[in-house]
Amino acid sequence: MAALRIKLLVALPLAAVVIISSYLLVAGVPANLRHLVPISWSRFDASTANVAPAKIAYFVPVAGFTDSKWLRMNTVLNKAATFCDTQTLNEVDNKTLADLTCDIKLETKSGWDNLCAKTKLLFDHLCTLEDYGVGDNEFLVKIDDDTIADPDVEKYIASAMRGKNVFFGSYVGFESDVTAPHSWFGGPFYGFNARFMKQLCACKRPECQPNMGEDQWAGIMLGECKIEKEDMLLPDGYVYHREYSVPRLTIHFNRY
C-alpha cells in the first residue's frame, strides 16, 4: 500500500504538469488559430513509439558564416541538402564555408539578406529535376542552420501526417497586408507533403514582394496554387530556434 501511495504521489503531479502545459500551449495561441494545435501530443502517446519515421527531404540555406562542423553534428541538419548562391560564396567568413559543400549552388546574387528570392530560386531549381528534388521522400522540409530539431519529429510527422495533404511548421505566422489571406508558418522549420511538388511545379509560383519573408512566400505559394491542404502546428518541444532551454541547461545561438 505504501508503494502505491508513492506511485500516486509521483504520477498525479506529472499528470497535472501535462494537463497544465497543454492548456498553456493552447491558451497562448490566438483563438482563430487554435485549430492548428494538434490534440494529441506524441510525447505522451505510446501509439507513436513503433511508427516508422517519415522519409523527409531536408533543405537548409547556408551563409558565409554557416559552420560546417555544426551542420555535421546536428542530427537532423546533417541529413539536409545545403543550398547557397554566388553571393554567399563571396561572403565566406573565416573560410567556414570552404569546408562546406554546397549540394545546390544557385547562380544568383540573392544573398542571405534576400532569403525569399533565394528560396524561390531553390524551388525553381527543384522543378527542373525529374524527381523534383525529393526522390521517394514523403515530405519536404526547409530548416534553418541555427535550428535544433528532435529526431523524434520524424516519427511525429509520420504518425500525425502520413497519408494527408499537409502544410506544417514549428510556429504560426500571422497575416499581414503582404500575406493575407494565406496562412504560413515561421521560417526555422516548415514543410509539406512531397506530393505537392508536382502541383507546385505545374503552377505559376509567386514573385517575392518587398519585405516578404521566405516562409511567407511559401504560404502564399501554396495558397495561390490552390492546393487543398490541412494546416498543422508541431507540438512544442520538437524544434528549437536560436535557443534551447531546459532545467540545468540553456543554449543561446548568438549569430548576429
Side-chain angles (χ1 to χ4, degrees):
M1 182 62 70
L4 177 59
R5 287 176 181 169
I6 292 173
K7 289 182 179 178
L8 285 174
L9 287 173
V10 173
L12 288 176
L14 285 176
V17 169
V18 172
I19 293 170
I20 292 170
S21 298
S22 300
Y23 170 77
L24 290 175
L25 172 68
V26 175
V29 176
N32 64 318
L33 296 173
R34 289 179 186 171
H35 67 283
L36 296 177
V37 180
I39 297 173
S40 173
W41 280 48
S42 70
R43 293 196 176 283
F44 309 106
D45 184 356
S47 65
T48 64
N50 297 318
V51 173
K55 297 174 67 177
I56 299 175
Y58 292 98
F59 293 92
V60 56
V62 299
F65 48 76
T66 297
D67 184 73
S68 58
K69 186 175 182 180
W70 163 249
L71 295 187
R72 291 196 304 271
M73 292 171 61
N74 190 311
T75 305
V76 171
L77 284 178
N78 67 19
K79 300 179 181 180
T82 57
F83 65 98
C84 58
D85 54 42
T86 50
Q87 184 166 328
T88 295
L89 293 173
N90 290 330
E91 295 174 348
V92 175
D93 179 21
N94 296 325
K95 299 191 180 303
T96 55
L97 202 63
D99 297 326
L100 183 70
T101 301
C102 293
D103 299 305
I104 302 171
K105 181 180 176 181
L106 305 172
E107 295 296 336
T108 174
K109 294 182 179 179
S110 62
W112 184 256
D113 292 336
N114 193 353
L115 193 52
C116 180
K118 190 172 185 177
T119 304
K120 181 182 183 301
L121 286 164
L122 169 68
F123 278 82
D124 290 344
H125 170 77
L126 295 178
C127 286
T128 66
L129 305 178
E130 184 176 349
D131 62 359
Y132 307 109
V134 297
D136 61 351
N137 290 287
E138 302 167 271
F139 299 92
L140 182 150
V141 166
K142 178 266 174 184
I143 182 171
D144 280 356
D145 67 351
D146 57 353
T147 298
I148 299 174
D150 187 325
D152 280 345
V153 73
E154 296 170 5
K155 284 192 174 183
Y156 178 81
I157 290 173
S159 62
M161 306 178 192
R162 183 171 277 155
K164 301 178 182 179
N165 280 340
V166 291
F167 177 41
F168 58 91
S170 53
Y171 67 87
V172 179
F174 297 95
E175 287 187 4
S176 67
D177 293 339
V178 174
T179 61
H182 305 294
S183 61
W184 52 282
F185 289 100
F189 187 105
Y190 66 86
F192 48 87
N193 186 290
R195 290 195 302 259
F196 281 2
M197 283 302 295
K198 186 175 183 179
Q199 300 174 66
L200 291 175
C201 293
C203 78
K204 181 175 173 54
R205 294 175 296 284
E207 296 296 326
C208 290
Q209 302 299 321
N211 302 317
M212 180 185 288
E214 44 86 20
D215 43 3
Q216 296 173 338
W217 176 84
I220 292 172
M221 172 178 64
L222 289 174
E224 292 190 354
C225 288
K226 297 185 177 5
I227 297 177
E228 293 186 7
K229 59 184 174 60
E230 178 180 346
D231 295 338
M232 190 172 290
L233 180 67
L234 293 174
D236 191 30
Y238 279 110
V239 177
Y240 298 87
H241 182 228
R242 297 187 183 174
E243 180 178 348
Y244 175 75
S245 183
V246 293
R248 300 180 64 190
L249 176 64
T250 299
I251 302 172
H252 295 280
F253 297 88
N254 295 318
R255 283 184 39 188
Y256 300 108

